[in-house]
Amino acid sequence: MRSDCALALFCRTRDILSNIYIFMKYLQILTQILMELRHIRYFLAVAEERNVTRAAERPGIGQPPLSQQIHALEDELGVCLFRRTGHGVVLTEAGEAFAVDAKRILADTRLAVEKTQSAGRGEVGQLNIGFTATAAFNPVVSKLIRAYRQTYPNVALTLAEGNTAQLLAWLDDDRVDVAFVRQGNQSPAGVKFHHIAVEPMKVVLPATHRLAKKRRIDLAEDPFVMLPREASPTLHDVIVGACSDVGFGPIAGQQVPQLSSVVNLVATEFGVSRAPASVCQIRVEGVVYHDVVGKPMSIRLVLASRAEMTPAKVTNFLRMAEEVARAKK
């Protein structure tokens, strides 16, 4: 037992020392890079001022240390960069050549810093967004994506459609960063849901249906055109539950993979259906939409993200989603 504890302590100590060594090497390399960049800045200051005294006022150090830095740079390069004159210094031919690349190096360094900081703020990169077929019709979704693109034009957006199960799996596999889904009773581990909207449900009927112009609708004798449960479990369960609440189980009719197909099949009188209110945007000849009379029936639209620490671009999207959803209220 003691030997096991001693071995574990040894391994832990070894790992700590290894991490310290790696950190010290990284610090050494970083310090060397910063020193080299400082030498380049000093060189360019002297080259532009053509006078060591005036150049020393730029970096904020005294003249002797600046002269030493220039000499150290010349020693490292093995060439003379400046020729001393009675009024100051001028660049040698080697100095002229070095100045061209030195300016480019500093410009590239500044650009690299700006890009890194911009990425850290979530202003560049790629954001992968998943959505279900029903979510795409909600106006909050289109408004959010439009606002995000306007605010972060340098973030490329990719959109992927799938059913809820697929989208949550893609979220877990990092194939999407966020996903618009219909929230059910289950909350998968590692996933966080952010409220977007609560939509009332509508009854979808053929225009020729016997109840198309009635206020109260009894659909117990009609086949239901629906998405299969594996494609949209929440929507499926809401419809079945609503039918059960009024005393009947829906007659299984045609199953289709897309919500737009549901509306089209209802138009051809294959049956009836129920759908989120935003689906009323699908205008198909031969279809009418009715409010649900009696017990209110609604379905939630949420934005799913990974529960652990998220990149800044995702955090920005979630923040904007919260603002847009709040404004909708």
Side-chain angles (χ1 to χ4, degrees):
M1 183 69 178
R2 290 182 178 178
S3 61
D4 291 342
C5 292
L7 180 60
L9 180 61
F10 169 78
C11 292
R12 185 178 179 185
T13 303
R14 180 194 61 192
D15 291 342
I16 292 173
L17 291 175
S18 176
N19 290 335
I20 291 175
Y21 174 77
I22 293 172
F23 174 75
M24 293 302 294
K25 291 294 292 183
Y26 169 78
L27 190 61
Q28 180 182 355
I29 294 172
L30 181 61
T31 301
Q32 183 179 353
I33 292 173
L34 292 176
M35 287 291 290
E36 291 173 352
L37 288 175
R38 188 172 65 180
H39 285 163
I40 291 175
R41 290 191 181 96
Y42 291 166
F43 162 76
L44 289 175
V46 175
E48 291 170 3
E49 294 291 345
R50 298 191 176 188
N51 186 285
V52 176
T53 302
R54 288 197 301 270
E57 297 173 358
R58 280 196 190 180
I61 65 172
Q63 180 181 342
L66 179 57
S67 298
Q68 293 169 10
Q69 296 288 346
I70 296 298
H71 286 310
L73 180 60
E74 290 178 325
D75 291 340
E76 184 177 348
L77 295 174
V79 296
C80 183
L81 298 173
F82 293 99
R83 179 169 55 83
R84 278 69 183 172
T85 68
H87 301 288
V89 294
V90 294
L91 287 170
T92 63
E93 186 173 347
E96 293 280 3
F98 184 65
V100 173
D101 286 333
K103 291 176 182 178
R104 177 184 55 78
I105 290 170
L106 285 188
D108 288 346
T109 301
R110 283 193 294 268
L111 182 61
V113 170
E114 291 171 2
K115 285 184 175 180
T116 301
Q117 293 174 338
S118 185
R121 293 190 296 266
E123 297 171 350
V124 295
Q126 180 171 308
L127 184 69
N128 303 309
I129 303 173
F131 61 93
T132 63
T134 62
F137 293 103
N138 190 287
V140 176
V141 175
S142 56
K143 183 178 180 180
L144 170 58
I145 292 176
R146 184 168 58 250
Y148 185 84
R149 291 186 65 193
Q150 292 172 350
T151 306
Y152 300 99
N154 294 322
V155 177
L157 298 185
T158 60
L159 305 177
E161 182 178 345
N163 60 52
T164 298
Q166 287 175 326
L167 292 172
L168 293 178
W170 294 348
L171 189 65
D172 186 56
D173 292 339
D174 289 340
R175 290 179 58 183
V176 297
D177 298 301
V178 292
F180 293 97
V181 297
R182 299 291 178 179
Q183 184 181 8
N185 296 324
Q186 300 296 324
S187 295
V191 175
K192 186 175 182 180
F193 290 129
H194 310 265
H195 173 78
I196 295 297
V198 176
E199 283 191 67
M201 296 289 288
K202 294 279 190 176
V203 176
V204 189
L205 297 174
T208 56
H209 194 278
R210 67 188 187 282
L211 301 175
K213 297 182 180 180
K214 301 290 185 181
R215 187 169 183 275
R216 288 200 166 273
I217 299 172
D218 181 3
L219 303 177
E221 299 178 1
D222 293 275
F224 271 69
V225 181
M226 297 171 61
L227 275 64
R229 191 179 188 282
E230 58 269 20
S232 184
T234 302
L235 179 59
H236 185 280
D237 291 349
V238 166
I239 294 173
V240 173
C243 294
S244 178
D245 286 344
V246 293
F248 73 94
I251 299 173
Q254 292 288 328
Q255 290 193 339
V256 291
Q258 303 291 340
L259 198 58
S260 57
S261 300
V262 170
V263 177
N264 284 320
L265 285 188
V266 170
T268 54
E269 302 181 3
F270 269 84
V272 300
S273 192
R274 291 183 176 179
S278 57
V279 176
C280 293
Q281 297 176 68
I282 304 177
R283 295 297 178 182
V284 176
E285 186 178 352
V287 168
V288 293
Y289 299 97
H290 271 271
D291 292 330
V292 177
V293 179
K295 183 179 178 181
M297 183 172 60
S298 61
I299 188 168
R300 286 190 67 193
L301 176 64
V302 297
L303 182 60
S305 68
R306 285 180 286 277
E308 74 269 16
M309 186 180 297
T310 54
K313 60 185 179 182
V314 176
T315 301
N316 293 339
F317 191 80
L318 296 176
R319 174 181 51 78
M320 292 192 71
E322 182 180 345
E323 293 172 356
V324 172
R326 192 187 307 119
K328 183 67 176 177
K329 295 179 181 179

